[in-house]
Amino acid sequence: MTSLSTSLVRGAVTSPFKHPGRPGATLPTDRLTLPAAPAAPGPLAAYRRICGFPATESGPLPLTYPHVLAFPLAMRLMTARRFPLPVVGLVHTWIEIVTQRPVESDEALELTVYAEELTPHRRGTEVTMVTEARLAGALVWESRSGYLSRHATNATGSTRGADGSPTLPAVAEWRLPGGLGRRYGAVSGDRNPIHLHPLTARLFGFPRAIAHGMWTVARCLAEAGGQPGEIRSVRADFRAPVLLPATVTYAADPAGNAFALRSESSSGSGTGSGRVHLTGSVTRTS
């Protein structure tokens, strides 16, 4: 299977020849599949540590982990010649994950990825990528992700998941080191240059390296807590990048079902008046 690094190189080469927003663009119908296999214990343990999940050698997978396992397939699809959007500059805008039941770490998951639809967006064109996980042919876990290719458009529609949620009370403060992107990249395989170093991030318009969106979601789910496998679904919308290093605030409602990640204002009042990086919600099995 093509590695993430190879896909990134291919994406850098093919992106200049793609023209997002052109009429009649269609998605490839390919479905890429990883044969059934359990998660490797070493990488899984490293993922749990960096995202703040309980350190355990058994039990359910973190809700986000199948997405991480299948991401090389998604990148292979999105960097293919027939994929209509350039992968360079593609922005992860939202993710929804639903599990039918907790997936144990020693269960052999078969993972499939495909592109579902292209949607006009007020800032360009958004593609929905789907990842499915099956056990013995039965669907047990599924994610949908939106990726935005920004370009000039006449569209006036609102952004999916527009933020109208009430301000949530602060629960925890996290100090994120400048090397977080490199550490998470080593664990997840996602070594996109925007996450690795200030110099490589500046090549893509960011003043410093930015945290992986999937790390922020996973870290919020770890903080949401509950019993292993209790969270059945999550919806998260990425609002603004987290520039590293950073100090961010995790906020949640008293039940822990709605959450947000934000940078507080310079007053440090904890009232939620700073920049919002992520908003989300979960449903629980009990």
Side-chain angles (χ1 to χ4, degrees), residues 75-159:
M75 281 296 296
R76 184 177 169 189
L77 273 178
M78 291 190 289
T79 58
R81 181 176 299 177
R82 291 185 294 119
F83 193 80
L85 304 180
V87 73
V88 173
L90 210 58
V91 179
H92 197 181
T93 49
W94 57 271
I95 185 168
E96 295 175 343
I97 301 174
V98 178
T99 184
Q100 303 303 316
R101 67 162 179 81
V103 178
E104 298 298 318
S105 58
D106 60 353
E107 291 187 297
L109 284 179
E110 179 187 84
L111 298 166
T112 300
V113 175
Y114 59 93
E116 186 174 65
E117 63 177 336
L118 288 172
T119 306
H121 186 284
R122 63 186 178 88
R123 293 180 179 173
T125 301
E126 190 174 73
V127 62
T128 299
M129 301 294 296
V130 180
T131 301
E132 297 175 343
R134 287 179 166 79
L135 289 169
L139 183 67
V140 294
W141 180 101
E142 185 177 27
S143 76
R144 279 176 165 75
S145 284
Y147 295 91
L148 173 65
S149 179
R150 291 174 289 191
H151 58 81
T153 175
N154 294 323
T156 57
S158 62
T159 305

Coordinates of all heavy atoms in Angstrom, one line a residue, residues 75-159:
M75 N -5.7 9.3 1.9 CA -4.7 10.1 1.2 C -4.4 9.5 -0.2 O -4.2 10.3 -1.1 CB -3.4 10.2 2.1 CG -3.5 11.2 3.2 SD -3.7 12.9 2.6 CE -2.2 13.1 1.7
R76 N -4.4 8.2 -0.3 CA -4.1 7.6 -1.6 C -5.2 8.0 -2.5 O -4.9 8.2 -3.7 CB -4.0 6.1 -1.4 CG -3.7 5.3 -2.7 CD -3.6 3.8 -2.4 NE -3.5 3.0 -3.6 CZ -3.6 1.7 -3.6 NH1 -3.7 1.0 -2.4 NH2 -3.5 1.0 -4.7
L77 N -6.5 8.0 -2.1 CA -7.6 8.4 -3.0 C -7.5 9.9 -3.3 O -7.6 10.2 -4.5 CB -8.9 8.1 -2.3 CG -9.5 6.8 -2.4 CD1 -10.8 6.7 -1.6 CD2 -9.8 6.4 -3.9
M78 N -7.2 10.7 -2.3 CA -7.3 12.2 -2.6 C -6.1 12.7 -3.4 O -6.1 13.8 -3.9 CB -7.4 12.9 -1.2 CG -8.7 12.7 -0.5 SD -9.0 13.8 0.9 CE -7.8 13.1 2.1
T79 N -5.0 11.9 -3.5 CA -3.9 12.3 -4.3 C -3.8 11.6 -5.6 O -2.9 11.9 -6.4 CB -2.5 12.0 -3.5 OG1 -2.5 10.6 -3.2 CG2 -2.5 12.8 -2.3
A80 N -4.8 10.8 -5.9 CA -4.9 10.1 -7.2 C -5.2 11.1 -8.3 O -5.8 12.2 -8.1 CB -6.0 9.1 -7.2
R81 N -4.7 10.8 -9.5 CA -4.8 11.7 -10.7 C -6.3 12.1 -10.9 O -6.6 13.2 -11.3 CB -4.2 11.1 -11.9 CG -4.3 12.0 -13.1 CD -3.5 11.4 -14.3 NE -2.1 11.2 -14.0 CZ -1.3 10.6 -14.8 NH1 -1.7 10.1 -16.0 NH2 0.0 10.4 -14.5
R82 N -7.2 11.1 -10.8 CA -8.6 11.4 -11.1 C -9.4 12.1 -10.0 O -10.5 12.5 -10.2 CB -9.3 10.0 -11.4 CG -8.8 9.4 -12.7 CD -9.6 8.2 -13.1 NE -9.4 7.1 -12.1 CZ -10.3 6.5 -11.4 NH1 -11.6 6.9 -11.5 NH2 -10.0 5.5 -10.5
F83 N -8.8 12.3 -8.8 CA -9.5 13.1 -7.8 C -9.5 14.5 -8.2 O -8.4 15.1 -8.5 CB -8.8 12.8 -6.5 CG -9.5 13.3 -5.2 CD1 -10.5 12.5 -4.7 CD2 -9.3 14.5 -4.6 CE1 -11.3 12.9 -3.6 CE2 -10.0 14.9 -3.5 CZ -11.0 14.1 -3.0
P84 N -10.6 15.2 -8.1 CA -10.7 16.6 -8.7 C -10.1 17.7 -7.9 O -9.9 18.8 -8.4 CB -12.2 16.8 -8.9 CG -12.9 15.9 -7.8 CD -11.9 14.7 -7.7
L85 N -9.9 17.5 -6.6 CA -9.4 18.6 -5.8 C -7.9 18.4 -5.5 O -7.5 17.3 -5.2 CB -10.2 18.6 -4.5 CG -11.7 18.8 -4.6 CD1 -12.3 18.8 -3.2 CD2 -12.1 20.0 -5.4
P86 N -7.2 19.5 -5.5 CA -5.8 19.5 -5.1 C -5.6 19.2 -3.6 O -6.3 19.8 -2.8 CB -5.2 20.8 -5.4 CG -6.4 21.7 -5.4 CD -7.6 20.9 -5.8
V87 N -4.8 18.2 -3.2 CA -4.6 17.9 -1.8 C -3.8 19.0 -1.1 O -4.0 19.2 0.1 CB -4.0 16.5 -1.6 CG1 -2.5 16.6 -2.0 CG2 -4.2 16.0 -0.2
V88 N -3.0 19.7 -1.8 CA -2.2 20.8 -1.2 C -3.2 21.9 -0.8 O -3.9 22.4 -1.7 CB -1.1 21.3 -2.1 CG1 -0.5 22.6 -1.5 CG2 0.0 20.2 -2.3
G89 N -3.3 22.3 0.4 CA -4.2 23.3 0.8 C -5.6 22.8 1.3 O -6.4 23.6 1.7
L90 N -5.8 21.5 1.1 CA -7.1 20.9 1.6 C -7.2 21.0 3.1 O -6.3 20.7 3.8 CB -7.1 19.5 1.1 CG -8.5 18.9 0.8 CD1 -9.2 19.7 -0.4 CD2 -8.3 17.4 0.4
V91 N -8.4 21.5 3.6 CA -8.6 21.8 5.0 C -9.6 20.9 5.5 O -10.7 20.8 5.0 CB -9.0 23.3 5.2 CG1 -9.3 23.5 6.7 CG2 -8.0 24.2 4.6
H92 N -9.3 20.2 6.6 CA -10.2 19.3 7.3 C -11.2 20.2 8.1 O -10.8 20.9 9.0 CB -9.4 18.3 8.2 CG -10.2 17.2 8.7 ND1 -9.7 16.2 9.5 CD2 -11.5 16.8 8.4 CE1 -10.6 15.3 9.8 NE2 -11.7 15.6 9.1
T93 N -12.5 20.1 7.7 CA -13.4 21.1 8.3 C -14.3 20.4 9.4 O -14.8 21.1 10.3 CB -14.3 21.7 7.2 OG1 -14.8 20.6 6.3 CG2 -13.5 22.7 6.3
W94 N -14.6 19.2 9.3 CA -15.5 18.5 10.2 C -15.4 17.0 10.2 O -14.8 16.5 9.2 CB -17.0 18.9 10.0 CG -17.5 18.5 8.6 CD1 -17.5 19.3 7.5 CD2 -18.1 17.3 8.2 NE1 -18.0 18.7 6.4 CE2 -18.4 17.4 6.8 CE3 -18.5 16.1 8.8 CZ2 -19.1 16.4 6.1 CZ3 -19.1 15.1 8.1 CH2 -19.4 15.3 6.8
I95 N -15.8 16.3 11.2 CA -15.8 14.9 11.2 C -17.0 14.4 12.1 O -17.3 15.0 13.1 CB -14.5 14.3 11.8 CG1 -14.5 12.8 11.6 CG2 -14.2 14.7 13.2 CD1 -13.1 12.1 11.8
E96 N -17.6 13.3 11.6 CA -18.6 12.6 12.4 C -18.2 11.1 12.5 O -17.8 10.5 11.4 CB -20.0 12.7 11.7 CG -20.6 14.1 11.6 CD -21.9 14.2 10.8 OE1 -22.1 13.2 10.0 OE2 -22.6 15.2 10.9
I97 N -18.3 10.6 13.6 CA -18.0 9.2 13.9 C -19.1 8.5 14.6 O -19.6 9.1 15.6 CB -16.7 9.0 14.7 CG1 -15.5 9.7 13.9 CG2 -16.4 7.5 14.9 CD1 -14.2 9.6 14.7
V98 N -19.5 7.3 14.1 CA -20.6 6.6 14.8 C -20.1 5.1 14.9 O -19.6 4.5 13.9 CB -21.9 6.6 14.0 CG1 -23.0 5.7 14.7 CG2 -22.4 8.0 13.9
T99 N -20.2 4.5 16.1 CA -19.9 3.1 16.3 C -21.2 2.4 16.7 O -22.0 2.9 17.5 CB -18.8 3.0 17.3 OG1 -18.4 1.6 17.4 CG2 -19.2 3.5 18.7
Q100 N -21.3 1.2 16.2 CA -22.5 0.4 16.5 C -22.3 -0.3 17.9 O -23.2 -0.6 18.6 CB -22.7 -0.7 15.4 CG -22.9 -0.1 14.0 CD -24.1 0.9 14.0 OE1 -25.2 0.6 14.6 NE2 -23.9 2.0 13.4
R101 N -21.0 -0.6 18.2 CA -20.7 -1.1 19.5 C -19.2 -0.9 19.7 O -18.5 -0.6 18.7 CB -21.0 -2.6 19.5 CG -20.1 -3.5 18.6 CD -20.2 -4.9 19.0 NE -19.4 -5.9 18.2 CZ -18.1 -6.1 18.2 NH1 -17.4 -5.4 19.1 NH2 -17.5 -7.0 17.5
P102 N -18.7 -1.0 20.9 CA -17.2 -0.8 21.1 C -16.5 -1.9 20.4 O -16.9 -3.0 20.3 CB -17.1 -1.0 22.7 CG -18.4 -0.7 23.2 CD -19.4 -1.1 22.2
V103 N -15.4 -1.5 19.7 CA -14.5 -2.4 19.0 C -13.3 -2.7 19.9 O -12.5 -1.8 20.3 CB -14.0 -1.7 17.7 CG1 -13.1 -2.6 16.9 CG2 -15.2 -1.4 16.8
E104 N -13.1 -3.9 20.2 CA -12.0 -4.3 21.1 C -10.7 -4.2 20.3 O -10.6 -4.4 19.1 CB -12.2 -5.7 21.6 CG -13.4 -5.9 22.4 CD -13.4 -5.1 23.7 OE1 -12.3 -5.0 24.3 OE2 -14.4 -4.5 24.0
S105 N -9.6 -4.0 21.0 CA -8.3 -3.7 20.4 C -7.7 -5.0 19.7 O -6.9 -4.8 18.8 CB -7.3 -3.2 21.5 OG -7.2 -4.1 22.5
D106 N -8.2 -6.2 20.1 CA -7.7 -7.4 19.5 C -8.6 -7.9 18.3 O -8.3 -9.0 17.8 CB -7.4 -8.5 20.5 CG -8.7 -8.9 21.2 OD1 -9.7 -8.2 21.0 OD2 -8.7 -9.8 22.0
E107 N -9.6 -7.2 18.0 CA -10.5 -7.6 16.9 C -10.0 -7.2 15.6 O -9.4 -6.1 15.4 CB -11.9 -7.0 17.1 CG -12.6 -7.6 18.3 CD -14.1 -7.2 18.4 OE1 -14.3 -5.9 18.6 OE2 -15.0 -8.0 18.3
A108 N -10.1 -8.0 14.6 CA -9.6 -7.8 13.2 C -10.5 -7.0 12.4 O -11.5 -7.5 11.9 CB -9.3 -9.1 12.6
L109 N -10.2 -5.7 12.3 CA -11.1 -4.8 11.5 C -10.7 -4.8 10.0 O -9.5 -4.7 9.7 CB -10.9 -3.4 12.0 CG -11.6 -3.0 13.3 CD1 -11.3 -1.5 13.6 CD2 -13.1 -3.2 13.2
E110 N -11.7 -4.8 9.1 CA -11.5 -4.6 7.7 C -11.9 -3.1 7.5 O -13.0 -2.7 7.8 CB -12.3 -5.5 6.9 CG -12.2 -5.2 5.4 CD -13.1 -6.1 4.5 OE1 -14.3 -5.6 4.4 OE2 -12.7 -7.1 4.1
L111 N -11.0 -2.3 6.9 CA -11.2 -0.9 6.7 C -11.4 -0.5 5.3 O -10.6 -1.0 4.4 CB -10.1 -0.1 7.3 CG -9.9 -0.2 8.8 CD1 -8.5 0.3 9.2 CD2 -11.0 0.5 9.6
T112 N -12.4 0.2 4.9 CA -12.7 0.7 3.6 C -12.9 2.2 3.5 O -13.5 2.7 4.4 CB -14.0 0.0 3.0 OG1 -13.8 -1.4 3.0 CG2 -14.3 0.5 1.6
V113 N -12.3 2.8 2.5 CA -12.4 4.3 2.3 C -12.9 4.6 0.9 O -12.5 4.0 0.0 CB -11.1 5.0 2.6 CG1 -11.2 6.5 2.3 CG2 -10.6 4.7 4.0
Y114 N -13.8 5.6 0.8 CA -14.3 6.1 -0.5 C -14.7 7.5 -0.4 O -15.0 8.0 0.7 CB -15.4 5.2 -1.0 CG -16.6 5.1 -0.2 CD1 -17.7 6.0 -0.4 CD2 -16.7 4.1 0.8 CE1 -18.9 5.9 0.4 CE2 -17.9 4.0 1.6 CZ -18.9 4.9 1.4 OH -20.1 4.8 2.1
A115 N -14.8 8.2 -1.5 CA -15.2 9.6 -1.6 C -16.7 9.5 -1.9 O -17.2 8.9 -2.8 CB -14.5 10.3 -2.7
E116 N -17.5 10.3 -1.1 CA -19.0 10.2 -1.2 C -19.6 11.3 -2.1 O -20.4 11.0 -2.9 CB -19.6 10.2 0.2 CG -21.1 10.0 0.2 CD -21.7 9.9 1.6 OE1 -21.6 10.9 2.3 OE2 -22.1 8.8 1.9
E117 N -19.2 12.5 -1.8 CA -19.9 13.6 -2.6 C -19.0 14.9 -2.6 O -18.2 15.1 -1.7 CB -21.2 13.9 -2.0 CG -21.2 14.5 -0.6 CD -22.6 14.8 -0.1 OE1 -23.5 15.1 -0.9 OE2 -22.7 14.9 1.2
L118 N -19.3 15.7 -3.6 CA -18.7 17.0 -3.7 C -19.9 18.0 -3.4 O -21.0 17.9 -3.9 CB -18.2 17.3 -5.1 CG -16.9 16.6 -5.5 CD1 -16.6 16.9 -7.0 CD2 -15.7 17.1 -4.7
T119 N -19.6 19.0 -2.6 CA -20.6 20.0 -2.2 C -20.1 21.4 -2.3 O -19.0 21.7 -1.9 CB -21.0 19.7 -0.7 OG1 -21.3 18.4 -0.5 CG2 -22.1 20.6 -0.3
P120 N -20.9 22.3 -3.0 CA -20.5 23.7 -3.0 C -20.5 24.3 -1.6 O -21.3 24.0 -0.8 CB -21.6 24.3 -3.8 CG -22.3 23.2 -4.6 CD -22.1 22.0 -3.7
H121 N -19.5 25.1 -1.4 CA -19.3 25.7 -0.1 C -19.0 27.2 -0.3 O -18.5 27.6 -1.4 CB -18.0 25.1 0.6 CG -17.7 25.5 2.0 ND1 -17.2 26.7 2.3 CD2 -17.9 24.8 3.2 CE1 -17.0 26.8 3.6 NE2 -17.5 25.6 4.2
R122 N -19.4 28.0 0.6 CA -19.3 29.5 0.4 C -17.8 29.9 0.2 O -17.5 31.0 -0.3 CB -19.9 30.3 1.6 CG -19.3 30.1 2.9 CD -20.1 30.8 4.0 NE -19.5 30.6 5.3 CZ -18.6 31.3 5.9 NH1 -18.0 32.3 5.2 NH2 -18.1 31.1 7.1
R123 N -16.9 29.0 0.6 CA -15.4 29.3 0.4 C -14.8 28.4 -0.6 O -13.6 28.5 -0.8 CB -14.7 29.2 1.8 CG -15.1 30.3 2.8 CD -14.4 30.1 4.1 NE -14.8 31.1 5.1 CZ -14.3 31.1 6.3 NH1 -13.6 30.2 6.8 NH2 -14.7 32.1 7.1
G124 N -15.5 27.6 -1.3 CA -14.9 26.7 -2.3 C -15.7 25.5 -2.6 O -17.0 25.6 -2.8
T125 N -15.1 24.3 -2.5 CA -15.7 23.0 -2.8 C -15.3 22.1 -1.7 O -14.1 22.0 -1.3 CB -15.3 22.4 -4.1 OG1 -15.7 23.3 -5.2 CG2 -16.0 21.1 -4.3
E126 N -16.3 21.4 -1.1 CA -16.0 20.5 0.0 C -16.3 19.0 -0.5 O -17.3 18.8 -1.1 CB -16.9 20.8 1.2 CG -16.6 20.1 2.5 CD -17.4 20.6 3.6 OE1 -18.6 20.2 3.7 OE2 -16.8 21.3 4.5
V127 N -15.4 18.1 -0.1 CA -15.6 16.7 -0.4 C -15.8 16.0 0.9 O -15.2 16.3 1.9 CB -14.4 16.1 -1.1 CG1 -13.1 16.2 -0.3 CG2 -14.6 14.7 -1.6
T128 N -16.7 15.0 0.9 CA -17.0 14.1 2.0 C -16.3 12.8 1.8 O -16.6 12.1 0.8 CB -18.5 13.9 2.2 OG1 -19.1 15.2 2.5 CG2 -18.7 13.0 3.4
M129 N -15.4 12.4 2.7 CA -14.7 11.1 2.6 C -15.3 10.2 3.7 O -15.5 10.6 4.8 CB -13.2 11.3 2.8 CG -12.6 12.2 1.8 SD -12.6 11.6 0.2 CE -11.5 10.1 0.4
V130 N -15.5 8.9 3.3 CA -16.2 8.0 4.2 C -15.2 6.9 4.6 O -14.5 6.4 3.7 CB -17.4 7.4 3.6 CG1 -18.1 6.4 4.6 CG2 -18.4 8.5 3.3
T131 N -15.1 6.5 5.8 CA -14.3 5.3 6.3 C -15.3 4.4 7.0 O -16.1 4.8 7.8 CB -13.2 5.8 7.2 OG1 -12.4 6.7 6.6 CG2 -12.4 4.5 7.6
E132 N -15.2 3.1 6.6 CA -16.0 2.1 7.2 C -15.2 1.0 7.8 O -14.1 0.6 7.2 CB -17.0 1.5 6.2 CG -18.0 2.5 5.6 CD -18.8 1.9 4.5 OE1 -18.5 0.8 3.9 OE2 -19.9 2.5 4.1
A133 N -15.6 0.5 9.0 CA -14.9 -0.6 9.6 C -15.8 -1.8 9.8 O -16.9 -1.6 10.3 CB -14.3 -0.2 10.9
R134 N -15.4 -3.0 9.4 CA -16.3 -4.1 9.5 C -15.6 -5.3 10.2 O -14.4 -5.4 10.2 CB -16.7 -4.6 8.1 CG -17.7 -3.7 7.4 CD -18.0 -4.2 6.0 NE -19.2 -3.6 5.5 CZ -19.2 -2.4 4.9 NH1 -18.1 -1.7 4.9 NH2 -20.4 -1.8 4.5
L135 N -16.4 -6.0 10.9 CA -16.0 -7.3 11.6 C -16.8 -8.4 11.0 O -18.0 -8.4 11.1 CB -16.2 -7.2 13.1 CG -15.3 -6.2 13.9 CD1 -15.8 -6.1 15.3 CD2 -13.8 -6.8 13.9
A136 N -16.1 -9.3 10.4 CA -16.7 -10.5 9.7 C -17.9 -10.0 8.8 O -18.9 -10.6 8.7 CB -17.3 -11.4 10.8
G137 N -17.6 -8.9 8.1 CA -18.6 -8.4 7.1 C -19.6 -7.4 7.6 O -20.3 -6.8 6.9
A138 N -19.7 -7.3 9.0 CA -20.7 -6.5 9.6 C -20.2 -5.1 9.9 O -19.1 -5.0 10.5 CB -21.3 -7.1 10.8
L139 N -20.9 -4.0 9.5 CA -20.4 -2.7 9.7 C -20.5 -2.4 11.2 O -21.6 -2.5 11.8 CB -21.3 -1.7 9.0 CG -20.9 -0.2 9.1 CD1 -19.6 0.1 8.4 CD2 -22.0 0.7 8.4
V140 N -19.4 -2.0 11.9 CA -19.4 -1.7 13.3 C -19.0 -0.3 13.6 O -19.2 0.2 14.8 CB -18.5 -2.7 14.1 CG1 -19.1 -4.1 14.0 CG2 -17.1 -2.7 13.5
W141 N -18.4 0.4 12.7 CA -17.9 1.8 12.9 C -17.8 2.5 11.6 O -17.6 1.9 10.5 CB -16.4 1.6 13.5 CG -15.7 2.9 13.8 CD1 -15.5 3.5 15.0 CD2 -15.0 3.7 12.9 NE1 -14.8 4.6 14.9 CE2 -14.5 4.8 13.6 CE3 -14.8 3.7 11.5 CZ2 -13.7 5.8 13.1 CZ3 -14.1 4.7 10.9 CH2 -13.5 5.8 11.7
E142 N -18.1 3.8 11.6 CA -18.1 4.6 10.4 C -17.8 6.0 10.7 O -18.2 6.6 11.7 CB -19.5 4.5 9.8 CG -19.7 5.2 8.4 CD -21.0 5.0 7.8 OE1 -22.0 4.8 8.6 OE2 -21.2 5.0 6.6
S143 N -17.0 6.6 9.8 CA -16.7 8.1 9.9 C -17.0 8.8 8.6 O -16.8 8.2 7.5 CB -15.3 8.3 10.4 OG -14.4 8.2 9.3
R144 N -17.4 10.0 8.7 CA -17.5 10.9 7.6 C -16.7 12.2 7.9 O -16.9 12.7 9.0 CB -19.0 11.3 7.2 CG -19.7 10.2 6.5 CD -21.2 10.5 6.2 NE -21.7 9.6 5.2 CZ -22.0 8.3 5.3 NH1 -21.8 7.8 6.5 NH2 -22.4 7.6 4.3
S145 N -15.9 12.6 6.9 CA -15.1 13.8 7.1 C -15.3 14.8 5.9 O -15.4 14.3 4.8 CB -13.6 13.4 7.2 OG -13.3 12.9 8.5
G146 N -15.3 16.1 6.3 CA -15.4 17.1 5.2 C -14.0 17.7 5.1 O -13.3 18.0 6.0
Y147 N -13.6 17.8 3.8 CA -12.3 18.5 3.4 C -12.6 19.6 2.4 O -13.2 19.3 1.4 CB -11.3 17.5 2.9 CG -10.9 16.4 3.8 CD1 -11.6 15.2 3.9 CD2 -9.8 16.6 4.7 CE1 -11.2 14.2 4.8 CE2 -9.4 15.6 5.6 CZ -10.1 14.4 5.6 OH -9.7 13.5 6.5
L148 N -12.2 20.8 2.7 CA -12.5 22.0 1.9 C -11.3 22.4 1.1 O -10.2 22.6 1.5 CB -12.9 23.1 2.8 CG -13.1 24.5 2.2 CD1 -14.3 24.5 1.2 CD2 -13.3 25.6 3.2
S149 N -11.6 22.5 -0.2 CA -10.6 23.1 -1.2 C -11.1 24.6 -1.4 O -12.2 24.8 -2.0 CB -10.6 22.4 -2.5 OG -9.7 23.0 -3.4
R150 N -10.3 25.5 -1.0 CA -10.7 26.9 -1.0 C -10.4 27.5 -2.4 O -9.3 27.4 -2.9 CB -10.0 27.7 0.1 CG -10.5 27.4 1.5 CD -9.7 28.1 2.5 NE -8.4 27.5 2.7 CZ -7.6 27.8 3.7 NH1 -8.0 28.6 4.6 NH2 -6.4 27.3 3.7
H151 N -11.4 28.2 -3.0 CA -11.2 28.9 -4.3 C -12.3 29.9 -4.4 O -13.3 29.9 -3.6 CB -11.2 27.9 -5.4 CG -12.5 27.0 -5.5 ND1 -13.7 27.5 -6.1 CD2 -12.8 25.8 -5.1 CE1 -14.6 26.5 -6.0 NE2 -14.1 25.5 -5.4
A152 N -12.2 30.8 -5.4 CA -13.2 31.8 -5.6 C -14.5 31.1 -6.0 O -14.6 30.1 -6.8 CB -12.8 32.7 -6.8
T153 N -15.6 31.7 -5.5 CA -16.9 31.1 -5.7 C -18.0 32.1 -5.6 O -17.8 33.1 -4.9 CB -17.2 29.9 -4.7 OG1 -18.5 29.4 -4.9 CG2 -17.1 30.3 -3.3
N154 N -19.1 31.9 -6.2 CA -20.3 32.8 -6.1 C -21.3 32.2 -5.1 O -22.4 32.8 -4.9 CB -21.0 32.9 -7.5 CG -20.1 33.7 -8.5 OD1 -19.4 34.6 -8.1 ND2 -20.2 33.3 -9.7
A155 N -21.0 31.1 -4.5 CA -21.9 30.5 -3.5 C -22.1 31.3 -2.3 O -21.2 32.0 -1.9 CB -21.4 29.1 -3.1
T156 N -23.3 31.3 -1.8 CA -23.7 32.1 -0.6 C -24.1 31.3 0.6 O -24.5 31.8 1.6 CB -24.7 33.2 -0.9 OG1 -25.9 32.5 -1.4 CG2 -24.3 34.2 -2.0
G157 N -24.1 30.0 0.4 CA -24.6 29.1 1.5 C -23.7 29.2 2.7 O -22.6 29.6 2.7
S158 N -24.3 28.9 3.8 CA -23.6 28.9 5.1 C -22.7 27.7 5.2 O -22.9 26.7 4.6 CB -24.6 29.0 6.3 OG -25.4 27.8 6.3
T159 N -21.7 27.8 6.1 CA -20.8 26.7 6.4 C -21.5 25.7 7.1 O -22.3 26.0 8.0 CB -19.6 27.2 7.2 OG1 -19.0 28.3 6.4 CG2 -18.6 26.1 7.4

